[in-house]
Structure formats: structure tokens, C-alpha cells
């Protein structure tokens, strides 16, 4: 009787089979592009933006000027609230934290990679196309 049960169980498992070669290839391809989700808290982000400010401030005058900003981020000059043509550390922090808050879609004080991508996509869709 045991032989029949063991044989039946073995046949049942064999009939279930594993993933096909196509499924395995699809899994392997998907794994190549997998990026684990991340979460950044508002306090962690505060440290990041301070370090970024000082890294961009090449001349060390505690202001960012258009020539110190990467060209793809030229829109950051909108942080210049007093209109003096340069971004102070305070203007930088306020502007970057406002961006963080905009990305924090569920308002829990953390931005996940999923929230960041969704907010970025929404901003890109809002921009007028030329």
C-alpha cells in the first residue's frame, strides 16, 4: 500500500512540473531589470540635500549660481526667491524639501521609489510639450 501511495505522490508531483524554459527565461529577464524599492525619510533627505548643496557649490561661497548647476537642472533657479541670481543654502533647502513633500504622495513623511516615480511621471505629463 505504501508503494502505491509513494508512487502516486511521485507521479502527481511529476505531473505538476516546474516552470517551462520560456517561463524561466522570462523570470531571468525580469530579474535583470529588478530594482528593489527604496524609502527615504524627510530627515534623511535633509542630510542629502545639504551634502548636495555643498558638492555643487564649487567656489565655496555658500551660494549656487547658474554656472554651478548642471544644465539639466536649470529649473532649480526657481528656488532663487529673492531674485539675486543665486540660490542660498536656505533657498535650496526650502525648495528641495518642497519637492520632497510633493513626492510624498501619502503624506507619511517618507518617499518610496514608487511614489517618486509616480510623482515624476505626473510632473512630466504636466509640462507643456513643444
Amino acid at each position: 500500500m505504501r508503494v502505491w501511495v509513494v508512487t502516486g505522490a511521485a507521479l502527481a508531483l511529476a505531473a505538476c512540473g516546474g516552470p517551462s524554459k520560456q517561463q524561466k527565461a522570462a523570470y531571468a529577464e525580469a530579474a535583470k531589470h529588478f530594482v528593489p524599492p527604496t524609502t527615504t525619510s524627510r530627515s534623511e533627505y535633509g542630510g542629502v540635500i545639504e551634502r548636495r548643496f555643498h558638492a555643487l557649490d564649487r567656489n565655496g561661497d555658500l551660494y549656487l549660481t547658474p554656472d554651478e548647476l548642471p544644465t539639466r537642472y536649470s529649473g532649480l533657479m526657481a528656488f532663487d526667491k529673492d531674485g539675486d541670481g543665486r540660490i542660498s543654502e536656505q533657498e535650496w533647502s526650502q525648495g528641495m524639501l518642497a519637492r520632497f513633500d510633493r513626492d510624498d504622495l501619502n503624506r507619511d513623511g517618507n518617499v518610496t521609489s514608487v511614489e517618486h516615480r509616480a510623482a515624476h511621471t505626473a510632473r512630466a505629463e504636466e509640462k507643456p510639450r513643444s
Side-chain angles (χ1 to χ4, degrees):
M1 183 67 171
R2 285 188 194 180
V3 173
W4 286 106
V5 171
V6 171
T7 304
L11 288 173
L13 285 174
C16 291
S20 69
K21 286 183 181 181
Q22 287 177 330
Q23 287 173 321
K24 287 180 183 179
Y27 296 153
E29 186 62 28
K32 286 182 193 176
H33 305 290
F34 175 73
V35 177
T38 60
T39 302
T40 304
S41 71
R42 198 169 196 274
S43 61
E44 289 171 327
Y45 192 70
V48 169
I49 61 178
E50 182 180 350
R51 288 189 299 277
R52 181 70 174 147
F53 178 88
H54 291 289
L56 289 171
D57 183 21
R58 293 189 298 263
N59 64 4
D61 66 351
L62 298 180
Y63 290 94
L64 297 178
T65 54
D67 64 312
E68 291 175 309
L69 295 173
T71 55
R72 66 181 179 171
Y73 296 123
S74 59
L76 293 176
M77 285 307 294
F79 293 170
D80 177 22
K81 296 300 180 193
D82 60 9
D84 64 355
R86 57 191 189 165
I87 301 169
S88 68
E89 192 169 3
Q90 182 179 4
E91 290 170 327
W92 173 262
S93 293
Q94 289 172 347
M96 293 302 287
L97 286 173
R99 278 186 163 196
F100 179 92
D101 292 340
R102 225 177 26 237
D103 286 0
D104 185 10
L105 301 177
N106 64 0
R107 306 290 181 243
D108 67 351
N110 297 294
V111 173
T112 65
S113 52
V114 173
E115 286 176 309
H116 178 71
R117 275 192 306 277
H120 180 75
T121 300
R123 280 194 301 273
E125 290 173 356
E126 290 172 3
K127 289 183 182 177
R129 300 190 193 260
S130 20

